[in-house]
Structure formats: structure tokens, C-alpha cells
Amino acid sequence: RFLEINNDCDARSRYAGFLLEAKHYAESIEAAKEALKCDTNNLYTYRYLAYAYYEVVPANYAAGLESSNKFFSKVKAGTKLISKDYEYHAKLLSKNGKDSLAILDYMKAMELEPEKTELYSDIALAYMKMKKYNDAVAAYNKKIAAGKGGINDYLGLTRAYYVSKDFVKADSATSEMIRLQPELPNGYLWKAKVNVQQDIKNDQWLA
């Protein structure tokens, strides 16, 4: 209906954006492809493609990263970028195994929207994949310090401390897991696993 009234190049691109906003990701991708047949220089069409390729089921992370890269390649001086541009680029980089670059873009996203503390979890996961456990710990603790730490953050923190062999702090993290979700077994299982490492000979019966 929209394209029956407006069917120029910009309208086709905006239509892809409307479909994306409505979470019709597959349809947004097709609409964006049609818009690119009309105009290959509209950077916003590449934005919509990048976002939609990440969100669609099944996702196409390679195509999403290609679209996001094209978006950034067409950005000119004075173009207003939003936090989501860097966030999606970071997520797509990470999904394509480029975690060190992803971390840089997560940080850029947070510079534009400092309240996006949930991205500390993504940063921590990227560091974990790179086996930079101390950096992962720092990222999880920043989110927790902001008052936004959840059960998965304490689980990640436990794992990071555990592989770093800091079993005392790992034990503290498991206690927070249990405090947050006492009805679930994960916290207790991890606490037992950590306590075994603190008392290898089982002298204190910690596990």
C-alpha cells in the first residue's frame, strides 16, 4: 500500500525500514534488496540490511557484516550515526569471529549511549572467547557496579574467575547466583565445583 503511493528510490528504502521496525525481518531484507536495485548509494538501506540479517531466523551473519561494512563505507562527514550502528556492527563482527574489533565497536556504541550497560555482557563474552579472562572480569564488574548485573553476569563472572584460578572470588560470585535464583541448581553446582578446587583433599568438606 505504501509503495502504491510512493515508489521512488527513497520510498523503497524507507519501506524496508518500516518492515524492520515492525520486526518483519525477511520482508525487510527483500525490500532493501529491491531498493538497492534502484539506488546503491543509499547508506540507510545498508543499515536496514545489516540489522535485518542479524535478527532474521535463520540469521545471515556474513551478509549482515558485509552490509554493515558497506554502510560505514558510505558514511560522509556530518552523517549522524546512532549507537545501534556500532552495536550491530560489533555483534556481526563477533559472530564472524572478529572479537577484538567487536569490542572496539561495543565501546563506541556505549560512548553514544552510556546507559547501554547491557553491552558490558557482550564485551565480557568477547573477552572470554579470546581467553582474556581478567578483561572479562572487569567488564562484568562494570555492569554489576552499574546495578545491572543479572544471573548470567554472575555465571560469566564465576567462569572467568574459575579459569583464572581465583577460586575465592569465584565462590563469592556463586553466592550471588544463589541469592538471585535460589530455586535453580546452577549456583549450587558451581559452588560445589569451586569448593572442590579450594579444598582438593576435602579436609574441610567444602564440597
Side-chain angles (χ1 to χ4, degrees), residues 1-7:
R1 181 73 178 176
F2 175 81
L3 291 180
E4 290 177 7
I5 302 170
N6 301 288
N7 199 21

Side-chain angles (χ1 to χ4, degrees), residues 141-161:
N141 279 327
K142 283 180 181 178
K143 185 176 180 184
I144 291 166
K148 301 294 184 179
I151 185 70
N152 288 330
D153 299 303
Y154 284 106
L155 172 59
L157 192 59
T158 297
R159 290 176 57 235
Y161 281 134

Side-chain angles (χ1 to χ4, degrees), residues 98-115:
K98 301 177 186 295
D99 291 295
S100 59
L101 294 175
I103 289 166
L104 295 175
D105 272 356
Y106 280 130
M107 291 178 175
K108 288 177 182 176
M110 293 188 71
E111 285 175 12
L112 292 175
E113 285 191 51
E115 65 274 15

Side-chain angles (χ1 to χ4, degrees), residues 124-199:
L125 286 172
Y127 277 129
M128 288 292 287
K129 286 165 65 179
M130 296 165 64
K131 298 184 178 180
K132 293 188 174 183
Y133 304 120
N134 289 338
D135 291 320
V137 164
Y140 281 125
N141 279 327
K142 283 180 181 178
K143 185 176 180 184
I144 291 166
K148 301 294 184 179
I151 185 70
N152 288 330
D153 299 303
Y154 284 106
L155 172 59
L157 192 59
T158 297
R159 290 176 57 235
Y161 281 134
Y162 186 87
V163 294
S164 301
K165 301 188 185 302
D166 191 340
F167 301 119
V168 173
K169 289 182 179 177
D171 185 56
S172 295
T174 62
S175 295
E176 287 301 310
M177 290 174 64
I178 293 168
R179 181 183 66 82
L180 288 170
Q181 291 190 341
E183 72 282 5
L184 295 182
N186 265 5
Y188 303 101
L189 292 172
W190 269 101
K191 181 171 280 291
K193 187 175 180 179
V194 169
N195 284 343
V196 165
Q197 296 302 318
Q198 293 188 91
D199 186 20

